Amino acid sequence: ELGYRFSSVVSVGLSAGQANGDNATTQIAEAHLYLDPFAHWLVSPYLGIGGGVNRTVPRTILVQSLDRTDAVASAEVGMRYYLARNFIARAAYHRGVLATSRNENDEITTWKLGVSVFF
């Protein structure tokens, strides 16, 4: 994820990922807006909303399936812990909804753990 902090409260981020499975390969790219109202706390909760695109390429042999590209909308809630001035540990719950062309939408749930370094 690549991000930019506009102020102590508002930041944006871009993320991309890929998942390879036995039945399909999925690529996702999202842009996020994060609100961190208590950025001055040592342990700081934050909220995020985002949107992007999800591309699924099925791995079929007998039946030719179409590639699917769908819009995704997401929300995130998390905590940041400032280990040092420019070093942060982060944990988050991320929930996304894929707006598919089928009669039902798909949901994506992700738990995130990570570190952030900024200049």
Side-chain angles (χ1 to χ4, degrees), residues 79-110:
M79 301 291 282
R80 291 185 176 109
Y81 176 68
Y82 287 81
L83 299 169
R85 184 171 177 259
N86 294 343
F87 197 70
I88 299 171
R90 189 169 81 160
Y93 173 77
H94 183 92
R95 182 72 181 234
V97 176
L98 296 175
T100 68
S101 57
R102 297 171 291 154
N103 288 337
E104 60 186 49
N105 292 330
D106 291 333
E107 297 180 1
I108 302 171
T109 301
T110 309

Side-chain angles (χ1 to χ4, degrees), residues 57-81:
V57 180
R59 295 182 188 205
T60 58
I61 296 173
L62 299 176
V63 178
Q64 188 66 9
S65 293
L66 299 174
D67 294 354
R68 294 192 329 246
T69 302
D70 303 309
V72 61
S74 63
E76 185 172 317
V77 61
M79 301 291 282
R80 291 185 176 109
Y81 176 68

